[in-house]
Amino acid sequence: MHHANTAADISPQTLTALSARALPVCLSVGSMSLVLAIVLGVLEGDGLRALSFSYVVSFAFFLSIGLGALFFLVIQHIVRAGWSVVVRRLAELTTLAVIPLAVMFLPILIPVLLGCSPLYEWNHADVVAHDELLQKKTPYLNAGFFAIRWVVYFAVWTLIASKFFAWSRAQDSDGEVAWTERLEQWSGPAAILLALTSTFAAFDLLMSLDPHWFSTIYGVYYFAGSMVAFLATVSLGLAALRRHGLLLTSVTTEHIHDLGKLLFGFNCFWAYIAFSQYLLIWYSNIPEETNWYLKRQQHGWEWISLVLIFGHFGIPFLGMMSRDVKRNLSLLSGWSVWLLLMHWVDLYWLAVPQLSAEGPAIGLLDASCFVGCAGLFAAAWLWLAGSSPLVPARDPRLPESLAFHNI
């Protein structure tokens, strides 16, 4: 017989004790790793170009997790999902990470405002002066408008994250159904704003690294990767929490199964979008478009391309197809680690050929930037989670979520 918990069975659980132990460790490791990355970047002697590209890859990685959480959250409210109530608070807490990410964006923004960014050639007046195409793109690709756009992006993301979390927490206090209705009412406009801001953020952060190239599908590509990154992260987070005795009764195999199905589905969606972008550019065969792929098909980059084809899609497609894999949190966690690694490789493949066309050179600098950003991201998540209950215990759909069973 399948036993279903009731709302009365769910005791309030928070991250207070875990946060007290883990937050200082995450903060220390993150800070020391970034200091090491800066030292290694200076020793490169290339005007901090290698450091900047390593940092932008890591920043884009953790930004994608926050944006994926935002999309997941608003989608659950749009479709009035009941199954996800017990895992929704984890998404709400992850959306708050966009707030510290605004601070982490400053090392990218400040050099742009100073007109000396190691990342963006459109930011250098002497380069633009001798490039007719960049001159025509100047109304969009200029430091002032770039900064304004990112202020708008983070303002929108912070507003959505903070409001949706505040309304959910308000329902924890009074249990009013009106909060659920408000969340559903505003989820549609929030989804539209997220789609627009995340698309243009992907254009600005990554696509403009090569300002001579463009793809109208680039924003969807980044969105697909963001959903994969968030779903893999929440699966790993859930496994970690359960090892510490949290969410053992509220989250069941049925919820894990649905997270696994979404992870599998969005990874297939990422592959579909990646192939669509390549196919459209391949059959049109326009030099200004194909040159971007040409860099990624020679001098060692073709091996990274093959890793993405098989590692990001082919192997996980076969490995995650089984229903049993999706219902086993240990196996799902293993695939989540694998897909997060592939997601980082994907972002590296998107960005770094602009720095090193002669071939990939993944090293200690990249690892230091990643660990540094991961430590700060995790510390911020733990701090923002505070004493918030891990399950919205007074959500009207909680009984439905607790009784959820896959067909």
Side-chain angles (χ1 to χ4, degrees):
M1 294 291 291
H2 175 73
H3 172 71
N5 293 311
T6 65
D9 297 328
I10 303 302
S11 58
Q13 293 182 319
T14 70
L15 287 167
T16 304
L18 179 60
S19 179
R21 300 193 304 270
L23 195 154
V25 175
C26 293
L27 191 60
S28 299
V29 171
S31 300
M32 290 188 292
S33 295
L34 284 179
V35 170
L36 174 61
I38 292 171
V39 172
L40 293 172
V42 171
L43 293 177
E44 287 284 336
D46 62 352
L48 301 182
R49 277 177 57 79
L51 173 62
S52 298
F53 273 86
S54 292
Y55 185 81
V56 81
V57 170
S58 295
F59 176 83
F61 180 94
F62 290 100
L63 177 64
S64 70
I65 296 174
L67 293 180
L70 278 168
F71 275 110
F72 177 86
L73 182 61
V74 299
I75 289 170
Q76 300 312 300
H77 288 300
I78 287 173
V79 302
R80 300 179 178 179
W83 75 270
S84 60
V85 171
V86 294
V87 296
R88 200 187 69 216
R89 182 56 54 81
L90 296 180
E92 291 172 349
L93 294 173
T94 306
T95 65
L96 297 176
V98 298
I99 300 173
L101 281 168
V103 178
M104 293 171 65
F105 182 68
L106 291 177
I108 297 173
L109 177 61
I110 291 174
V112 171
L113 292 175
L114 295 175
C116 58
S117 173
L119 292 168
Y120 305 109
E121 61 180 82
W122 54 261
N123 188 231
H124 296 263
D126 55 334
V127 175
V128 175
H130 296 89
D131 193 316
E132 184 179 358
L133 181 60
L134 292 186
Q135 292 170 17
K136 294 183 181 298
K137 293 187 177 184
T138 298
Y140 184 84
L141 292 178
N142 64 80
F145 194 24
F146 181 87
I148 291 171
R149 290 197 300 274
W150 277 97
V151 169
V152 172
Y153 302 155
F154 278 112
V156 169
W157 300 335
T158 300
L159 178 64
I160 295 172
S162 59
K163 283 296 182 182
F164 275 56
F165 180 69
W167 294 339
S168 181
R169 289 289 284 119
Q171 191 172 61
D172 289 344
S173 300
D174 58 29
E176 291 292 333
V177 177
W179 293 115
T180 296
E181 295 171 348
R182 179 176 294 187
L183 287 162
E184 292 171 356
Q185 176 186 2
W186 286 101
S187 57
I192 295 172
L193 287 173
L194 280 173
L196 290 171
T197 52
S198 64
T199 294
F200 282 94
F203 291 168
D204 292 346
L205 184 66
L206 295 172
M207 194 171 75
S208 73
L209 291 170
D210 186 349
H212 297 92
W213 181 80
F214 62 92
S215 167
T216 55
I217 208 171
Y218 201 92
V220 184
Y221 186 103
Y222 187 69
F223 158 74
S226 296
M227 289 302 300
V228 171
F230 165 70
L231 291 165
T233 301
V234 79
S235 298
L236 287 173
L238 181 59
L241 291 173
R242 287 167 71 88
R243 282 197 298 271
H244 286 85
L246 301 171
L247 301 179
L248 290 174
T249 58
S250 55
V251 179
T252 68
T253 301
E254 308 303 324
H255 304 104
I256 294 167
H257 187 188
D258 266 23
L259 288 173
K261 287 188 288 186
L262 284 171
L263 180 58
F264 177 79
F266 272 104
N267 195 55
C268 292
F269 179 67
W270 171 88
Y272 167 72
I273 295 300
F275 177 72
S276 298
Q277 178 175 265
Y278 179 82
L279 181 65
L280 289 169
I281 290 175
W282 175 78
Y283 76 63
S284 62
N285 200 26
I286 301 173
E288 67 180 16
E289 296 177 354
T290 56
N291 184 60
W292 190 85
Y293 276 105
L294 183 61
K295 288 181 182 178
R296 290 155 178 81
Q297 293 180 354
Q298 57 186 347
H299 304 307
W301 285 107
E302 67 273 19
W303 296 109
I304 303 296
S305 300
L306 290 172
V307 166
L308 289 174
I309 292 171
F310 293 102
H312 204 321
F313 173 65
I315 295 173
F317 179 79
L318 296 175
M320 294 185 66
M321 188 179 293
S322 169
R323 184 176 190 266
D324 293 335
V325 172
K326 301 184 190 75
R327 295 174 67 85
N328 185 314
L329 187 55
S330 297
L331 293 177
L332 185 61
S333 297
W335 283 111
S336 295
V337 172
W338 177 263
L339 286 174
L340 285 172
L341 174 62
M342 289 298 104
H343 180 54
W344 183 89
V345 172
D346 181 34
L347 294 170
Y348 184 86
W349 179 82
L350 290 175
V352 180
Q354 191 64 19
L355 166 72
S356 178
E358 64 274 10
I362 300 173
L364 183 59
L365 177 58
D366 302 295
S368 300
C369 278
F370 181 83
V371 173
C373 289
L376 297 185
F377 184 87
W381 191 90
L382 290 167
W383 179 68
L384 291 166
S387 58
S388 300
L390 292 176
V391 175
R394 303 184 75 177
D395 188 290
R397 293 195 177 92
L398 180 59
E400 177 188 348
S401 184
L402 294 172
F404 172 67
H405 189 266
N406 279 283
I407 297 174

